[in-house]
Amino acid sequence: MNELTDIVRPTGALSQADWTGRYTGALMNTFGAPQRVLVRGEGCYVWDADGERYLDLLAGIAVNSLGHAHPTLTGAISAQLGTLGHISNFFASPVQITLAERLATLTAAGRRPTAARTFLTNSGTEAIEGAFKLARRHGGSARPRILALEGAFHGRTMGALALTAKQAYREPFEPLPGGVEHLPFGDVAALEQAFATDGDRVAALVVEPLQGEAGVRPLPAGYLAEARRLTAEHGALLILDEVQTGVGRTGEWMAFHHDHIGGGITPDVVTLAKGLGGGFPIGALVALTEEAATLLGPGQHGTTFGGNPVASAAALATLHVIERDELLARVRRTGAAVREQIAAAGHPLVAGVRGEGLLLAIALTQEIAPDVARAALAAGFVVNPVAPDAIRLAPPLILTTEQARTFTDALPQILQKATAS
């Protein structure tokens, strides 16, 4: 044991059961008991306190885009921490400025608008809170309506929760910030109707290109193009929540960059987080139009940690590796291979695979997803029951087709164990 090891593991090597007992007595019960206590990770694998290895097909819910302990990421974080760790936002740092410029360019598909501006946050829900405030500032009391979609998940803070549709999340904390209307998912006629009546009183439409928490549901082709047309026609902001789908997760830098999803539109605002820092907490609110970029002035919004130099360095390193190692193409190849392998197996409990790139859901013919996730974990795979009848896969972007095949080959046996449990 050396000093650093003593700090990270102050009581030495304890068993899974020991750590779980201590967890229960130390942390608030907001997530239930942990499935495993994980002690280290490398590449696409993690190990628990008992030394068992798992292929991580969830990546901290689409966060660990470069896998675990990636040398470029850890090197960038260490180098920045050893140079300039934190400053208040009364000052600026080169990495913060460079990241903001880079995000504006990437979000605008390489054609950075001169008006584009970025606000850096600590998380996705904080980026959504910023977007909510932009919507409130847009037109003030003359535009009290904010539109979102049924099935939406935008976060758990109060503004983000108001945009989130799931009643079980909302009800314990009502009353929530008002003015939010939830429209039927993917229903163009309902969207047109929402604008046909008092459309000029709509401040913003907030949508996810693919609804991750609702079971990885993609919006139908043409929906975002129509959303862009209607919001522009009525002077409302179009805000895309790419917190889960952005930064290469779907095989393009942003999900709306796919022609069959975005149809070539430019939204007013895009929110990012999850995979942006490769595991280091950071989010972003990217405004692509001058109106959206100038709605908030000095003193109207802020953050202590957002734009932290270390977090900014982590994000720049993540973007660098995705580009250097051509991970967007790998995501498309690996995602297609997973689809093909599962389809080829033709298992009667699998209804199909939906999603894009490496944000996928295996749709099941029975509501056994929690049992499947438990059986998968017992077999050495981390997956997520995103709905009663769907398993979510959101692995590191570095996942290889060979690693993916170990899961798809094991899937029939996992399903058999799940139905037997």
Side-chain angles (χ1 to χ4, degrees):
M1 289 276 184
N2 59 34
E3 183 183 20
L4 290 178
T5 305
D6 289 343
I7 292 170
V8 176
R9 300 187 68 181
T11 57
L14 299 182
S15 71
Q16 188 79 229
D18 292 334
W19 280 118
T20 300
R22 288 181 60 178
Y23 176 99
T24 304
L27 281 92
M28 287 189 184
N29 184 25
T30 57
F31 292 96
Q35 299 175 51
R36 294 288 189 278
V37 176
L38 302 177
V39 295
R40 74 181 181 93
E42 182 179 336
C44 293
Y45 295 96
V46 290
W47 284 260
D48 70 18
D50 290 341
E52 296 295 326
R53 190 184 78 162
Y54 306 87
L55 180 61
D56 187 359
L57 297 173
L58 187 58
I61 311 182
V63 166
N64 298 100
S65 42
L66 305 183
H68 300 272
H70 193 285
T72 304
L73 179 62
T74 57
I77 291 171
S78 298
Q80 184 60 50
L81 192 58
T83 304
L84 183 67
H86 178 75
I87 53 174
S88 80
N89 279 308
F90 297 125
F91 301 89
S93 67
V95 283
Q96 172 199 45
I97 296 165
T98 303
L99 176 61
E101 293 171 341
R102 185 104 168 85
L103 288 178
T105 301
L106 287 180
T107 306
R111 304 179 300 276
R112 179 189 166 202
T114 55
R117 298 291 184 272
T118 295
F119 179 83
L120 295 170
T121 69
N122 308 295
S123 66
T125 198
E126 190 186 343
I128 290 291
E129 289 292 324
F132 198 104
K133 288 179 76 172
L134 284 186
R136 279 281 187 260
R137 284 281 297 155
H138 180 58
S141 59
R143 290 182 178 271
R145 302 175 66 198
I146 300 176
L147 306 180
L149 299 188
E150 292 175 356
F153 179 86
H154 295 290
R156 297 175 190 270
T157 51
M158 293 301 273
L161 196 55
L163 295 167
T164 294
K166 192 171 183 177
Q167 199 56 30
Y169 294 158
R170 297 166 53 90
E171 209 169 69
F173 305 100
E174 291 177 340
L176 297 169
V180 177
E181 304 167 32
H182 287 97
L183 309 178
F185 175 79
D187 187 333
V188 172
L191 183 64
E192 290 173 337
Q193 184 58 42
F195 278 97
T197 307
D198 284 340
D200 292 345
R201 288 171 63 78
V202 175
L205 168 65
V206 185
V207 295
E208 303 155 276
L210 284 83
Q211 288 190 337
E213 299 297 321
V216 190
R217 295 197 301 173
L219 280 171
Y223 187 91
L224 284 181
E226 188 64 6
R228 178 69 286 184
R229 183 185 71 77
L230 288 166
T231 50
E233 187 176 307
H234 291 275
L237 300 178
L238 177 59
I239 299 172
L240 296 190
D241 180 346
E242 293 254 14
V243 166
Q244 186 163 157
T245 54
V247 199
R249 170 58 51 191
T250 66
E252 296 286 352
W253 282 113
M254 307 294 148
F256 81 90
H257 290 175
H258 292 277
D259 285 341
H260 65 280
I261 296 176
I265 67 162
T266 298
D268 296 287
V269 177
V270 177
T271 58
L272 302 170
K274 289 195 179 291
L276 178 57
F280 204 95
I282 185 169
L285 174 68
V286 185
L288 296 175
T289 58
E290 182 170 7
E291 182 173 21
T294 55
L295 282 168
L296 296 174
Q300 293 180 331
H301 197 47
T303 172
T304 296
F305 294 106
N308 171 282
V310 181
S312 298
L316 284 172
T318 301
L319 299 176
H320 168 75
V321 173
I322 291 173
E323 192 166 59
R324 183 196 68 192
D325 296 352
E326 301 180 342
L327 293 184
L328 299 184
R330 178 188 285 198
V331 167
R332 293 193 292 270
R333 284 196 307 272
T334 310
V338 171
R339 285 173 174 275
E340 290 167 7
Q341 290 160 16
I342 293 176
H347 198 284
L349 283 173
V350 176
V353 181
R354 57 178 179 258
E356 196 75 43
L358 285 178
L359 180 58
L360 299 171
I362 303 172
L364 304 168
T365 57
Q366 299 178 23
E367 294 189 346
I368 55 171
D371 294 327
V372 174
R374 280 190 288 272
L377 191 63
F381 303 97
V382 179
V383 300
N384 169 237
V386 71
D389 60 352
I391 293 294
R392 174 170 49 185
L393 306 179
L397 307 187
I398 62 171
L399 184 78
T400 66
T401 53
E402 292 76 18
Q403 289 170 328
R405 181 171 282 284
T406 63
F407 171 69
T408 55
D409 284 349
L411 186 58
Q413 192 172 7
I414 291 169
L415 292 169
Q416 183 181 353
K417 287 186 177 177
T419 52
S421 63

